[in-house]
Amino acid sequence: MIEEGSKSSKSMVEKRQLFMEMRAQNFDVIRLSTYRTACKLRFVQKRCNLHLVDVWNMIEAFRDNGLSTLDHNAEINVSRLETILSSIFYQLNKRLPTTHQINVEQSIGLLLNFIVATYDSEGHGKLTVFAMKSMLATMCGGKILDKLRYIFSQISDSNGVMVFAKFDQFLREVLKLPTAVFEGPSFGYTEHSVRTCFPQQKKILLNTFLDVLMADPPPQYLVWLPLMHRLANVENVFHPVECSYCRSESMMGFRYRCQQCHGYQLCQSCFWRGHASGPHSNQHQMKEHSSWKSPAKKLSHAISKSLGCMPIGEPPHPVFPEAAERPQDLAHTTSTLESPSRLDEEHRLIARYAARLAAEASNSTQCPPTDLSFNFDANKQQRQLIAELENKNREILQEIQRLRLEHEQASQPTPEKAQQNPTLLAELRLLRHRKDELERRMSALQESRRELMVQLESLMRLLKDEEQKQSAQTGSSPHSSPSHSASCTMPMPIRSTSAGSTPTHTPQDCLAGVGDDVLDAFSQGVPRNLRNDLLVAADSITNTMSSLVKELHSVDDGIEEEEENMRNGREKVSSLKHSGKRHSTPSF
C-alpha cells in the first residue's frame, strides 16, 4: 500500500510539473488573450521538444504505428500512446546531431501527461485516434500550410470536399488545447463554431479551406494558431530600434508601431503588458512587424511598388488543383528506386509491417468474446492491408528487373563512382602531393648541387694555383701548407644563378649556401688540408641526394601500393554488390 501511494504521488507530481513551469513564466500578465494563449502553447511545444518534430515526420510516425488504417473514432489506451510517443522522440534523436540530443524519457513523460490531462480529464485511460492526430499535428513543428493540408485530408471525403461534421469534430479536439492552458473562456468550443468559420460557403474545397484559415485575420476561434507560428519565426529577429516606453536600445521578437503617434514603437514585452507613455494610448491602432527594414530598403520597396515592379496583395498560399488529394498519411506514396539500398529499405519496411500485423492478429485472438465484431473488422482491414503490401511487393520485383541493367552499369568501378573508398582516395591524394613536393625539392637540390660542384671545382683550381705559387717561391713541396691566409682577392669565375644574387670577389663569400665542412675549411686562420675538406663536403652533398632519391622511391612505391589496394577494393565492392543483388529479392 505504501509503495502504491508513493507511485501515485509521483505521478501527480509529474502531471503538475509542466503546468507549474508554465505558470512560473508569468504569461498571465499578457493583456491580450490571443498572445497569452499562443505564448503558453508555444512554451508547451518547446518544453516537450515538439518544435523539433516536423509535421511530415509526425505523419510518418502515424503510419509506422498503424494509425493510418484505424478509424478516427477508434480508441487507444495510454500504454499504446506512450509507445507512439517513444517512437517519435527516439526517431527524432536519430536525426539530430550528437551535440543536440534531447532527453527522450523526460520529453515522453511531459507530453504524455499533457495529452492525458487535455483529452482524458475524467481518467478513462483512453482517447480517440482522431484526437491524438489533431493534437500532435497542431503542436508539432513545420509550416502551417502543411499542417492545414494534412488536417483537410483527414476531414474531407473522397471527392475532396470538406465534411462539416468532421470539421466540427476537429474543432472540438483542437480547442481543448487553449482550455488545457486555462484559456477556455476565450477560445472554448461552441455549437456555432463551424458556421462562424464558414458562414456562407456550402462546398468547401482545399483552396477555400486554406483561404479562410490563413486569412488576416483568421477565424476568431483559431486566431492563436497562426500567431503561434509567427512567434516561432520571430524569436531570434533583431530590431535596431529603441522602445518608446522602456527605452531599450534594441528589440527581439515582434515590434509594434503606432499608426497615430509618429515614431512611437514598442517592444513586444511592453505592448503585451499594455504599457504606454506620453500621448500614446492603448486604444491606438498598432501595426505588428516581424522583421526590420532599413530606410533605404523601405524607399526602394515603395518605389518598386509604385512603379508596378512587384506584385501587390500576394496570395497567402499557392493555389492547389481542385482534384481530390489522397489522405496525407504517406501510405500511398512510393519512393523512387535509385539504388539497391533503397530497395532493401522498402523490403525491410514491408517485412516490418507484415510482422506487426501478424503480432496484432495473434493478440486479437485472445480478446474476450464481447469484442468479436471489432476484431473481425480489424482482421478484415489487416488482410486488405496485407494484400496491398503483396501487390506492392510484386511491383517492386518488376521494378528490380527493369532497373537491373542500369544498376549493373552504375556499379562499374570507375574513379567517378561513389563506391570508391574515400579513405584510400584521401591517402592516395596525400601521397601524390608528397611526391610532388619531394620532386620539387629534389630539383632544387640538384640545381644547388650543380652550382656547388662548379664552385668547388673553381676553388680546387684556385687552391692548386696558390700552392704552385708558394712552391715556386719557397722551393718547397707543393703539398706543404701555405704560409699565409687562404683567403685571397682573386675573383670567382662562376656567378650564382639564384635570383637576386650579386657577384662576389672572395672565396669566402662564394661559399654562401655551401655545407658546414666547406665553410670550416675556409674559415680557419691557418688553412687545413683543403682538398680533403672539399671532398668531405662533396660526399655530404652526394649522401643527401641519395637519401632524397630513396625517400622519393619509397613514396612512389607507396602510391603504387595504394593504387593496387584501390583496384582490389573496387573489385571487392563490385563482387559484393553483384552477390547482394542476387540475394536481395524479398519474400513474404
Side-chain angles (χ1 to χ4, degrees):
M1 294 295 292
I2 297 176
E3 185 178 357
E4 292 179 358
S6 61
K7 289 183 179 180
S8 177
S9 61
K10 182 179 179 181
S11 177
M12 292 297 296
V13 171
E14 291 178 350
K15 289 181 179 180
R16 296 174 181 173
Q17 179 182 356
L18 183 62
F19 296 101
M20 292 172 63
E21 293 180 1
M22 183 180 65
R23 287 181 175 177
Q25 300 295 319
N26 202 18
F27 291 124
D28 290 330
V29 300
I30 300 177
R31 181 170 55 96
L32 301 175
S33 61
T34 304
Y35 287 97
R36 193 167 58 243
T37 304
C39 288
K40 289 180 179 180
L41 293 177
R42 174 62 177 169
F43 172 79
V44 174
Q45 182 191 47
K46 294 181 66 177
R47 188 66 182 85
C48 297
N49 289 314
L50 276 176
H51 67 296
L52 301 175
V53 184
D54 190 80
V55 61
W56 297 110
N57 298 127
M58 190 65 72
I59 297 172
E60 184 179 4
F62 294 160
R63 181 198 64 182
D64 291 343
N65 288 276
L67 300 180
S68 301
T69 60
L70 295 180
D71 186 78
H72 283 176
N73 297 322
E75 293 184 340
I76 59 174
N77 54 28
V78 177
S79 61
R80 185 172 182 185
L81 173 60
E82 185 176 3
T83 303
I84 296 171
L85 298 182
S86 300
S87 66
I88 292 173
F89 286 114
Y90 278 111
Q91 289 297 325
L92 170 63
N93 250 2
K94 292 181 180 179
R95 295 190 297 268
L96 294 176
T98 56
T99 56
H100 293 75
Q101 297 287 297
I102 65 171
N103 189 335
V104 174
E105 297 299 330
Q106 185 183 44
S107 301
I108 295 172
L110 291 175
L111 183 57
L112 179 64
N113 291 325
F114 179 75
I115 294 177
V116 171
T118 303
Y119 294 98
D120 188 30
S121 57
E122 298 180 358
H124 296 300
K126 293 183 179 181
L127 69 157
T128 63
V129 172
F130 186 71
M132 190 195 64
K133 283 185 175 182
S134 301
M135 184 272 172
L136 293 178
T138 303
M139 292 295 293
C140 68
K143 299 179 180 179
I144 187 174
L145 176 64
D146 297 332
K147 292 183 180 182
L148 294 177
R149 287 183 61 196
Y150 171 71
I151 291 170
F152 184 82
S153 69
Q154 301 297 303
I155 62 175
S156 58
D157 57 16
S158 58
N159 296 322
V161 180
M162 188 189 76
V163 180
F164 279 89
K166 291 184 178 181
F167 180 68
D168 180 76
Q169 184 182 4
F170 167 73
L171 286 181
R172 287 176 184 269
E173 304 300 343
V174 79
L175 290 180
K176 290 180 182 178
L177 292 173
T179 304
V181 294
F182 315 106
E183 297 296 333
S186 301
F187 301 102
Y189 171 80
T190 64
E191 296 179 355
H192 306 288
S193 300
V194 176
R195 286 302 172 185
T196 303
C197 297
F198 301 98
Q200 298 178 355
Q201 296 90 340
K202 295 183 179 180
K203 184 179 180 181
I204 309 299
L205 300 176
L206 174 60
N207 291 315
T208 306
F209 180 78
L210 296 177
D211 289 339
V212 173
L213 269 67
M214 297 184 67
D216 188 15
Q220 179 60 29
Y221 290 97
L222 296 173
V223 67
W224 51 268
L225 180 57
L227 178 58
M228 186 176 69
H229 286 79
R230 295 205 307 273
L231 279 173
N233 293 331
V234 301
E235 285 180 347
N236 299 317
V237 174
F238 176 78
H239 305 268
V241 182
E242 182 183 23
C243 178
S244 300
Y245 181 84
C246 66
R247 299 301 176 184
S248 176
E249 295 181 356
S250 60
M251 305 179 190
M252 292 293 292
F254 285 121
R255 174 171 55 92
Y256 298 89
R257 185 181 186 90
C258 182
Q259 301 299 295
Q260 298 182 24
C261 304
H262 177 70
Y264 193 90
Q265 301 187 81
L266 294 176
C267 63
Q268 68 177 20
S269 178
C270 293
F271 175 75
W272 289 355
R273 287 160 175 78
H275 294 162
S277 61
H280 178 71
S281 171
N282 289 330
Q283 305 302 322
H284 292 180
Q285 184 180 3
M286 302 289 287
K287 186 176 181 180
E288 179 185 280
H289 294 273
S290 57
S291 61
W292 163 255
K293 291 182 180 179
S294 63
K297 288 185 178 179
K298 290 181 180 179
L299 179 60
S300 63
H301 180 82
I303 293 175
S304 300
K305 190 174 181 178
S306 63
L307 295 177
C309 298
M310 58 182 304
I312 301 175
E314 295 182 356
H317 65 85
V319 179
F320 296 95
E322 296 296 338
E325 290 187 339
R326 294 183 178 182
Q328 296 182 9
D329 54 6
L330 301 183
H332 63 282
T333 57
T334 56
S335 303
T336 303
L337 301 177
E338 300 175 351
S339 63
S341 61
R342 295 288 298 274
L343 293 174
D344 296 338
E345 182 179 0
E346 190 73 13
H347 298 160
R348 288 194 299 269
L349 179 62
I350 295 174
R352 189 168 71 247
Y353 270 127
R356 182 180 299 156
L357 292 174
E360 291 179 357
S362 62
N363 293 333
S364 62
T365 58
Q366 303 175 1
C367 295
T370 55
D371 297 331
L372 289 178
S373 61
F374 177 79
N375 292 335
F376 178 78
D377 295 337
N379 291 333
K380 183 178 179 181
Q381 293 177 357
Q382 292 170 2
R383 288 194 296 271
Q384 292 176 355
L385 181 58
I386 291 176
E388 293 177 0
L389 292 175
E390 290 176 347
N391 293 332
K392 189 173 184 179
N393 186 32
R394 284 191 290 270
E395 294 177 359
I396 292 174
L397 294 178
Q398 294 175 0
E399 191 72 13
I400 292 175
Q401 295 296 330
R402 188 180 66 84
L403 296 176
R404 186 177 298 276
L405 182 60
E406 297 180 6
H407 293 328
E408 291 288 342
Q409 185 177 0
S411 62
Q412 295 297 325
T414 58
E416 294 79 13
K417 298 300 179 180
Q419 64 263 24
Q420 282 185 331
N421 192 329
T423 304
L424 294 177
L425 285 176
E427 293 179 356
L428 183 60
R429 285 195 295 267
L430 183 61
L431 288 173
R432 287 177 177 172
H433 180 68
R434 176 63 175 165
K435 178 184 177 182
D436 294 339
E437 290 182 353
L438 291 176
E439 287 179 348
R440 290 193 296 268
R441 181 182 171 190
M442 182 177 179
S443 300
L445 288 177
Q446 286 177 345
E447 182 66 22
S448 300
R449 180 175 180 271
R450 185 186 64 81
E451 295 177 1
L452 288 174
M453 295 304 293
V454 172
Q455 292 180 4
L456 288 173
E457 184 179 0
S458 301
L459 289 173
M460 294 291 289
R461 288 198 302 268
L462 179 64
L463 182 61
K464 184 177 180 180
D465 295 342
E466 192 68 20
E467 289 179 349
Q468 291 177 355
K469 289 181 181 180
Q470 291 178 0
S471 299
Q473 293 176 359
T474 60
S476 60
S477 174
H479 296 287
S480 62
S481 299
S483 60
H484 61 276
S485 175
S487 61
C488 62
T489 59
M490 293 182 64
M492 292 296 297
I494 303 298
R495 298 176 61 180
S496 176
T497 59
S498 60
S501 62
T502 56
T504 57
H505 299 282
T506 63
Q508 188 71 21
D509 294 335
C510 293
L511 296 177
V514 183
D516 293 337
D517 294 327
V518 180
L519 287 176
D520 292 339
F522 287 90
S523 62
Q524 303 296 330
V526 178
R528 306 183 309 174
N529 192 339
L530 298 181
R531 182 178 290 102
N532 293 335
D533 293 336
L534 292 176
L535 292 175
V536 169
D539 292 339
S540 177
I541 294 174
T542 304
N543 293 334
T544 302
M545 293 298 297
S546 300
S547 62
L548 183 61
V549 170
K550 290 180 181 180
E551 184 176 0
L552 187 60
H553 287 331
S554 65
V555 172
D556 289 335
D557 295 338
I559 292 177
E560 293 178 358
E561 183 178 357
E562 291 296 332
E563 290 178 347
E564 182 66 23
N565 292 336
M566 290 285 292
R567 287 192 294 270
N568 296 335
R570 287 196 293 266
E571 292 176 357
K572 291 181 180 179
V573 169
S574 178
S575 61
L576 289 175
K577 192 170 183 181
H578 289 315
S579 63
K581 286 183 179 180
R582 291 194 296 268
H583 299 286
S584 62
T585 303
S587 61
F588 285 97

